[in-house]
Amino acid sequence: MIRKAFLILCIFGIQIFVNAQEKSTIIDPPKLVVGIVVDQMRYDYLTRFYHRFGEHGFKRMMNEGFNCKNNHFNYVPTYTGPGHASIYTGTTPQNHGIISNHWYDKFSNKRVYCAGDPSVETVGLDSDLEKMSPHRMKTTTVADQNRLHTQLLGKTIGIAIKDRGAILPAGHTANAAYWFRGKEEGKWITSTYYRKDLPSWVTAFNASGKVQSYLKEWNTLYDINSYVESGDDKNTFESGYKGKETATFPYDLAMLKDQNEGYDIIKSSAYGNNLTADFAIAAIEGEQLGTDEITDFLTISFSSTDYVGHNFGVNSKEIEDTYLRLDKDLERIFAVLDSKVGKRKYTVFLTADHGAVHVPAYLKSVKIPAGYYDANAFKADIENFVASKFGSKNLIKNISNYQIFFDYDVLEKNNIRAQDLQEAVAHRVLQADQVDKVFTRTQLESSDYTTGIAALIQKGYNQKRSGDVIIVLDPATVRYSRTGSTHGTGLTYDTHAPLLFFGRGIKKGSTTRKTKITDIAPTISVLLGIAFPNGATGDVLSFVIE
């Protein structure tokens, strides 16, 4: 009897302790959450460049925080727009609706952009360009939920060189999202979706000359001979800049500016990340983020890693130098957060919106299967096949993003069943060289795939916005130039992305268990004690939270 009473008291005491722990997590959340997305960052950059990093950037997150080593995207396609939306909504394109960067809209019969919004005006630029908002994203983000939870008192600021990298993470209720307009302007801008004018700190930043200061020589941060983690500086697998004969260090950005879209050359160099970090630090100070007890949200996307990867490839010395410099930018940001917000008073997570493939031409040179896909020849073949079998080329309305869209008005007029056309086209597509798999609308809407590429396709398939036949190419086969890297597939070089948590409420440790990109938003929601994003399908990574 005494033992039983003692056991009850122990259980009761443990429950009180657990409840207290949960209560403290909810009552005392971080003052600021900083979400960092590194565009086109493969997981193996963490290990490949680890010994080159300093102690206070990537290594600080890895050694003081939690490292999810087997983190993957759980859908296709792996592009920037869907990536940023999925990270912050906690769900996939199947639900949030951002199925690509651009896609064919079957209802308006035109190509649309994931962040484009003709109903708003540009702020900070006298132009009809750059009209942007998150209106095409159907679900809320974790930043939205924080705003709702705090009665709109918690601020949200989104920052990226790419508009979609700033807008989609910040969500629908953000105080502002700022992106960089290069070309001839070289300014940080926003749209009337958020506000009617630029705040004084943004105006001051644009007038400071900071942007112009990066029109300088880009050379390696350290002796180029020490960059042994990369391929040769001079090779045939890189594009480089117009006006320079070889894609080799150094690059005189001021001299090359006029031949490379003006200030856009900063975007496609390592200095674009430096500029993003400068602006993020200005935002922390200008918006006084994390200075009261109500949680704020800062979303930062480092876009230049993607531009450099597309231009020079994932095995280039340029990409190595870009990450070594980014490591120092993270150190700068963390130092400001320590000073302005306070150590252990803020929480950071870092991930990527997708990975990237080695340059297929390089892979072929070392005998790894790879190739280049001729989309124009493919389109002509499919249209000719359909015309021959069904009597009309017009049955195919659009082919884009490895999807084939039918014209249902023409199908009805010719009394052709959509399923018959799907099956015929899918069979023809599968006969094509470099095509690995094909899925039809009927398959994706009537089956529940749980494993393999089929499951990834299904989670990226939006019933209303996606096409009627989905094409999967052979591994390392791309529609791209013969130089530089790209992405978009469900293979591990595109899906395996870093996931680091660091700061308040985060355990120290690591795991090799598989995690998903959609797990981030629910995990941060639990840390903050707020409702999940309204379309969230990811899981809570409870082993990450203290």
Side-chain angles (χ1 to χ4, degrees), residues 46-65:
L46 284 178
T47 55
R48 183 172 146 200
F49 305 136
Y50 183 82
H51 76 282
R52 304 299 307 271
F53 293 144
E55 296 299 319
H56 304 292
F58 285 112
K59 277 187 179 180
R60 183 177 177 188
M61 294 195 75
M62 296 169 75
N63 296 333
E64 296 181 24

Side-chain angles (χ1 to χ4, degrees), residues 19 28 33 77 148 168 172 196 282 366 400 482 490:
N19 289 343
D28 198 17
V33 175
L148 292 173
L168 299 174
H172 303 277
K196 295 179 180 179
V366 293
S400 57
R482 263 57 177 177

Side-chain angles (χ1 to χ4, degrees), residues 378 382 396 398-399 402-406 425 429 467-469 471:
F378 172 83
I382 292 300
I396 305 296
N398 181 271
I399 302 177
Y402 304 108
Q403 300 185 33
I404 300 174
F405 294 81
F406 297 164
V425 169
V429 168
D468 299 286
V469 176
I471 306 159

Side-chain angles (χ1 to χ4, degrees), residues 120-360:
V120 303
E121 300 297 328
T122 310
V123 173
L125 185 69
D126 186 17
S127 172
D128 287 334
L129 302 173
E130 307 280 356
K131 295 183 176 184
M132 305 292 173
S133 86
H135 78 109
R136 297 191 196 279
M137 185 168 62
K138 294 184 172 184
T139 58
T140 61
T141 68
V142 62
D144 283 325
Q145 296 302 148
N146 185 64
R147 289 274 285 162
L148 292 173
H149 187 80
T150 62
Q151 302 302 311
L152 304 183
L153 296 176
K155 284 187 177 180
T156 296
I157 302 293
I159 291 169
I161 276 180
K162 291 183 182 178
D163 48 59
R164 58 188 179 271
I167 291 167
L168 299 174
H172 303 277
T173 61
N175 298 83
Y178 299 103
W179 58 95
F180 184 69
R181 168 70 180 181
K183 307 301 181 186
E184 299 305 314
E185 291 82 11
K187 294 179 179 179
W188 290 88
I189 62 174
T190 187
S191 81
T192 53
Y193 178 87
Y194 305 100
R195 51 184 302 137
K196 295 179 180 179
D197 54 14
L198 295 177
S200 58
W201 68 266
V202 176
T203 302
F205 189 96
N206 283 337
S208 69
K210 178 62 74 171
V211 173
Q212 292 75 14
S213 74
Y214 287 114
L215 290 174
K216 60 182 181 179
E217 182 180 86
W218 176 23
N219 207 343
T220 52
L221 187 61
Y222 306 110
D223 181 353
I224 196 169
N225 295 314
S226 71
Y227 284 39
V228 296
E229 296 79 15
S230 311
D232 294 336
D233 190 30
K234 187 175 183 180
N235 59 71
T236 60
F237 310 120
E238 303 172 7
S239 297
Y241 299 114
K242 294 177 182 177
K244 191 174 191 300
E245 187 174 342
T246 60
T248 55
F249 282 109
Y251 301 98
D252 186 338
L253 302 189
M255 184 185 74
L256 297 168
K257 169 178 174 280
D258 291 341
Q259 297 178 70
N260 293 272
E261 303 295 328
Y263 287 104
D264 276 4
I265 198 169
I266 297 174
K267 295 162 57 172
S268 61
S269 76
Y271 296 145
N273 290 332
N274 299 156
L275 178 61
T276 303
D278 294 338
F279 192 74
I281 290 169
I284 293 168
E285 297 171 347
E287 297 287 345
Q288 297 186 312
L289 298 177
T291 57
D292 59 27
E293 299 307 311
I294 301 174
T295 302
D296 296 324
F297 231 105
L298 174 63
T299 73
I300 308 170
S301 181
F302 288 102
S303 308
S304 293
T305 41
D306 184 67
Y307 290 117
V308 174
H310 278 295
N311 192 354
F312 297 97
V314 304
N315 199 44
S316 64
K317 296 206 183 298
E318 288 80 1
I319 205 72
E320 179 171 356
D321 192 70
T322 298
Y323 277 89
L324 298 184
R325 291 177 182 274
L326 176 58
D327 183 57
K328 292 186 173 295
D329 287 324
L330 295 178
E331 180 178 347
R332 284 199 294 140
I333 291 171
F334 296 157
V336 170
L337 293 172
D338 288 344
S339 173
K340 300 291 183 180
V341 183
K343 290 185 177 181
R344 300 293 296 177
K345 296 295 180 67
Y346 62 90
T347 303
V348 181
F349 67 83
L350 182 149
T351 188
D353 56 347
H354 52 74
V357 66
H358 271 280
V359 179

Side-chain angles (χ1 to χ4, degrees), residues 285-528:
E285 297 171 347
E287 297 287 345
Q288 297 186 312
L289 298 177
T291 57
D292 59 27
E293 299 307 311
I294 301 174
T295 302
D296 296 324
F297 231 105
L298 174 63
T299 73
I300 308 170
S301 181
F302 288 102
S303 308
S304 293
T305 41
D306 184 67
Y307 290 117
V308 174
H310 278 295
N311 192 354
F312 297 97
V314 304
N315 199 44
S316 64
K317 296 206 183 298
E318 288 80 1
I319 205 72
E320 179 171 356
D321 192 70
T322 298
Y323 277 89
L324 298 184
R325 291 177 182 274
L326 176 58
D327 183 57
K328 292 186 173 295
D329 287 324
L330 295 178
E331 180 178 347
R332 284 199 294 140
I333 291 171
F334 296 157
V336 170
L337 293 172
D338 288 344
S339 173
K340 300 291 183 180
V341 183
K343 290 185 177 181
R344 300 293 296 177
K345 296 295 180 67
Y346 62 90
T347 303
V348 181
F349 67 83
L350 182 149
T351 188
D353 56 347
H354 52 74
V357 66
H358 271 280
V359 179
Y362 166 72
L363 293 178
K364 292 178 73 174
S365 76
V366 293
K367 301 180 180 180
I368 293 176
Y372 294 92
Y373 167 74
D374 188 338
N376 293 328
F378 172 83
K379 180 180 179 182
D381 178 75
I382 292 300
E383 288 180 342
N384 290 336
F385 165 75
V386 169
S388 174
K389 186 171 181 65
F390 293 93
S392 173
K393 282 188 178 181
N394 295 330
L395 293 169
I396 305 296
K397 201 168 187 180
N398 181 271
I399 302 177
S400 57
N401 288 328
Y402 304 108
Q403 300 185 33
I404 300 174
F405 294 81
F406 297 164
D407 190 324
Y408 281 82
D409 290 336
V410 178
L411 263 72
E412 185 177 1
K413 184 178 179 180
N414 288 275
N415 198 30
I416 298 171
R417 292 177 66 242
Q419 190 168 346
D420 291 341
L421 184 58
Q422 287 176 31
E423 292 173 358
V425 169
H427 181 74
R428 178 69 177 191
V429 168
L430 197 56
Q431 312 313 308
D433 290 341
Q434 302 178 309
V435 171
D436 186 45
K437 297 177 179 68
V438 182
F439 296 89
T440 66
R441 173 178 287 274
T442 299
Q443 287 177 300
L444 295 171
E445 291 181 354
S446 61
S447 303
D448 184 16
Y449 298 106
T450 58
T451 60
I453 192 69
L456 302 186
I457 295 279
Q458 194 167 52
K459 286 183 173 63
Y461 186 86
N462 185 274
Q463 190 176 35
K464 192 166 185 176
R465 293 179 174 176
S466 297
D468 299 286
V469 176
I470 312 297
I471 306 159
V472 180
L473 299 181
D474 286 338
T477 299
V478 302
R479 181 189 179 189
Y480 202 63
S481 69
R482 263 57 177 177
T483 53
S485 294
T486 192
H487 50 86
T489 75
L491 294 161
T492 55
Y493 51 73
D494 282 336
T495 68
H496 192 190
L499 177 54
L500 305 175
F501 292 93
F502 162 71
R504 188 168 191 81
I506 302 300
K507 287 180 182 178
K508 179 180 178 180
S510 66
T511 184
T512 56
R513 75 174 73 177
K514 192 167 187 177
T515 59
K516 308 180 300 296
I517 211 73
T518 51
D519 298 337
I520 298 171
T523 301
I524 294 297
S525 296
V526 166
L527 180 69
L528 298 181

